[in-house]
Amino acid sequence: MTYHPALSEAAKAFLKCEHQLLIDGNKVEPSSGKRTDIIDPGTGNVISTAAEANSADVDKAVAAARRAFEGPWRQIKPAERTRIMFRFAELIEEHADELAELESINSGKPLVFCRNGDVVGIAEMLRYMGGWTTKMGGDTHNISLPGEWHTYTLREPVGVVGQIIPWNFPLNMAMWKIAPALAAGCTIVMKPAVQTPLTALRIGELALEAGVPPGVLNLVTGRGDPVGEAIAAHPGIDKVAFTGSTEVGRRITQAATGNLKRVSLELGGKSPVIIFPDADLEAAAAAVSSSIFFHAGQVCAAGSRLYVHERAFDQVMEAVAKRAREIRVGHGLDQGTEMGPVISQQQLERVTRYIQSGQEEGATLFAGGNRIGDQGYFVQPTVLTDTKPGMAVHDEEIFGPVLCAMKFGDDDIEQLAASANASPYGLASSIWTRDLNVAHKMASRLQAGIVNINTHSSPDATLPYGGYKQSGWGRERGFDAIEMYTEVKAVAVKLS
């Protein structure tokens, strides 16, 4: 295998390993004996292989997680869980460069974002969630039943959880799920995306080194069918957490009905960005570009529907198109790269089909629109104007660097909000204005789990993250994530 020259020896050594499953603290060969090629999307070359699990491997992982839940993990006091999680965070930081390189070469994201965003973020997530272990108590209640009572609630771990993560943010999505589950006292069976298992496997090793007991974090790599389906349907799993497409989220929900396990879903988006004429237009245009072109638009919260007031439209669009033309597109490990490839040939074809269909349906190609080169999976940053409801590019999640732009006039806020809300999705949104009256009115009307004002991103561990409508169920980050991994028990003692 040929590796990018910027890779460190530590990253190369990990890529050369024959990666196995992680079950009960041991590296285990898959029952199938099969392996999956791992591709560098910047070149299209195979850079490693991973074990291809099946339902029998999921059974083993669930059994290990159940033993750990009912045994050593339950016996560990909250303060000790905190110490383990803090040590885990320290190890993440000690191996930050290696993890960033693996994330970059596997997902295509530029190295600087992996190092300064993802790795820093997951260490912070561990510390934030680790701080909750000693603070998630119950309450006492004053009830009105006859006689004398002592009543209280307990907050307890939900049990064994199945976690299925996507390919666009392998490190972040793994830790957004692992950290609150560990803090709550749950045990985990995780399936990374088949395209991007590398960093999950590496942090699984670091978890053991940090003192996470065997069986608490189990990793089963492979395809959605059969591994993801087995996790979703497994009677020994008490909750499943999924991040990915809305289509797959529906299948997860259906599979989970067998034992009515709890389900949380972080799904797709078609997020609106609304720019009023009094906004800082230069800052707004820069943020629009960053939102849709960051990680080649492969972000569920990407600002993919742009609404600009007609008096500001030309200025904003020229600035966004200029940025689209100037972005340095290249391999994630190349110095100076600002936007990498999409994840696969399949995704490349999907994105370019949408761009073509948009033009066929009447949209105007304002910038970009083509594939770049013939090695790797690169798409030009693309801007479409004259888009409208009913066009696939306007209505559907593309998951690529494609912005759909529209004008609005001096309509009332209700009409503008109705246009922004005219989507089956409701994940993120942003409002750009200096008028706080307008900002707060719009914020109250947008049907989205995240509303940002004069920014499109607020990536803090304390803020809940999730969506309305078909963008999902439940919230990740913040105490809301802890609640997703716990059950509340009411205890009533009749004293007389």
Side-chain angles (χ1 to χ4, degrees), residues 163-182:
Q163 300 179 331
I164 304 171
I165 61 173
W167 47 257
N168 59 331
F169 286 88
L171 269 177
N172 259 326
M173 296 298 98
M175 198 56 73
W176 281 22
K177 290 176 171 53
I178 291 171
L182 292 180

Side-chain angles (χ1 to χ4, degrees), residues 444-481:
S444 69
R445 287 161 173 77
L446 290 177
Q447 297 169 358
I450 304 153
V451 179
N452 293 302
I453 298 173
N454 295 328
T455 182
H456 192 78
S457 180
S458 48
D460 193 90
T462 66
L463 289 173
Y465 186 99
Y468 286 26
K469 300 185 282 188
Q470 293 183 35
S471 286
W473 296 346
R475 296 293 183 268
E476 299 189 293
R477 302 192 318 203
F479 185 70
D480 299 73

Side-chain angles (χ1 to χ4, degrees), residues 23-24 40 224 320 382 412 480 488:
I23 298 176
D24 207 13
D40 172 2
V320 172
T382 298
D412 64 30
D480 299 73
V488 175

Side-chain angles (χ1 to χ4, degrees), residues 135-476:
K135 303 173 184 67
M136 56 179 81
D139 301 299
T140 58
H141 296 260
N142 296 319
I143 66 172
S144 300
L145 293 171
E148 190 172 354
W149 295 77
H150 173 52
T151 61
Y152 59 94
T153 59
L154 299 172
R155 186 173 290 277
E156 299 179 339
V158 72
V160 176
V161 299
Q163 300 179 331
I164 304 171
I165 61 173
W167 47 257
N168 59 331
F169 286 88
L171 269 177
N172 259 326
M173 296 298 98
M175 198 56 73
W176 281 22
K177 290 176 171 53
I178 291 171
L182 292 180
C186 297
T187 57
I188 300 161
V189 177
M190 173 173 281
K191 189 196 91 66
V194 67
Q195 300 94 332
T196 56
L198 296 177
T199 46
L201 291 168
R202 187 68 181 102
I203 63 174
E205 295 176 349
L206 296 178
L208 292 171
E209 187 178 340
V212 175
V216 172
L217 174 59
N218 304 276
L219 293 163
V220 282
T221 53
R223 304 182 184 280
D225 178 11
V227 183
E229 292 184 3
I231 289 173
H234 204 289
I237 288 179
D238 304 299
K239 169 191 165 55
V240 63
F242 170 75
T243 298
S245 72
T246 299
E247 177 187 356
V248 176
R250 290 191 184 96
R251 297 207 298 268
I252 295 286
T253 303
Q254 292 166 356
T257 58
N259 65 340
L260 293 179
K261 60 173 61 67
R262 293 175 64 178
V263 177
S264 58
L265 305 168
E266 199 269 282
L267 306 175
K270 193 72 177 178
S271 300
V273 178
I274 302 168
I275 301 177
F276 290 91
D278 68 322
D280 181 336
L281 299 183
E282 184 178 341
V288 167
S289 302
S290 176
S291 171
I292 190 60
F293 302 139
F294 172 67
H295 197 17
Q298 298 169 125
V299 183
C300 53
S304 52
R305 284 187 295 146
L306 176 62
Y307 298 86
V308 187
H309 192 279
E310 58 191 6
R311 292 200 302 275
F313 188 83
D314 290 345
Q315 181 178 342
V316 170
M317 295 313 301
E318 286 299 333
V320 172
K322 182 175 185 291
R323 179 63 181 142
R325 290 189 290 268
E326 292 177 350
I327 287 176
R328 183 170 176 179
V329 180
H331 194 285
L333 292 174
D334 287 345
Q335 190 172 6
T337 291
E338 297 174 292
M339 191 183 96
V342 296
I343 191 65
S344 64
Q345 179 67 30
Q346 180 183 13
Q347 190 67 11
L348 173 69
E349 293 170 358
R350 170 186 169 88
V351 172
T352 52
R353 279 199 305 270
Y354 269 111
I355 295 170
Q356 182 63 35
S357 76
Q359 294 174 82
E360 291 171 354
E361 291 179 318
T364 299
L365 184 63
F366 198 72
N370 297 309
R371 178 179 183 173
I372 301 173
D374 56 7
Q375 184 180 40
Y377 314 122
F378 297 96
V379 182
Q380 288 180 325
T382 298
V383 180
L384 295 171
T385 58
D386 302 314
T387 57
K388 57 187 178 181
M391 294 181 179
V393 289
H394 174 281
D395 297 347
E396 300 172 14
E397 184 178 39
I398 299 172
F399 227 58
V402 182
L403 178 66
C404 296
M406 293 150 282
K407 295 179 185 178
F408 68 90
D410 291 320
D411 303 320
D412 64 30
I413 282 178
E414 302 292 345
Q415 200 167 6
L416 181 56
S419 296
N421 292 334
S423 169
Y425 300 110
L427 182 55
S429 59
S430 63
I431 302 160
W432 294 81
T433 178
R434 290 185 171 95
D435 187 333
L436 290 180
N437 183 52
V438 170
H440 289 300
K441 283 184 175 180
M442 282 299 302
S444 69
R445 287 161 173 77
L446 290 177
Q447 297 169 358
I450 304 153
V451 179
N452 293 302
I453 298 173
N454 295 328
T455 182
H456 192 78
S457 180
S458 48
D460 193 90
T462 66
L463 289 173
Y465 186 99
Y468 286 26
K469 300 185 282 188
Q470 293 183 35
S471 286
W473 296 346
R475 296 293 183 268
E476 299 189 293

Side-chain angles (χ1 to χ4, degrees), residues 56-138:
D57 299 309
V58 173
D59 289 341
K60 294 173 186 175
V62 172
R66 181 62 61 186
R67 287 193 299 271
F69 177 71
E70 295 176 353
W73 195 231
R74 175 160 283 190
Q75 306 308 315
I76 290 178
K77 298 297 184 183
E80 179 60 21
R81 287 209 305 277
T82 295
R83 283 190 285 271
I84 290 171
M85 292 177 71
F86 282 14
R87 177 58 182 149
F88 194 0
E90 290 170 1
L91 288 170
I92 294 287
E93 291 172 337
E94 289 174 19
H95 295 272
D97 291 338
E98 176 195 353
L99 286 168
E101 289 177 25
L102 293 172
E103 186 82 341
S104 178
I105 199 167
N106 199 179
S107 72
K109 191 187 306 178
L111 180 63
V112 65
F113 300 134
C114 298
R115 179 64 179 83
N116 299 333
D118 296 340
V119 177
V120 171
I122 66 170
E124 177 61 24
M125 185 64 70
L126 273 167
R127 292 193 175 99
Y128 172 80
M129 292 298 174
W132 276 112
T133 64
T134 57
K135 303 173 184 67
M136 56 179 81

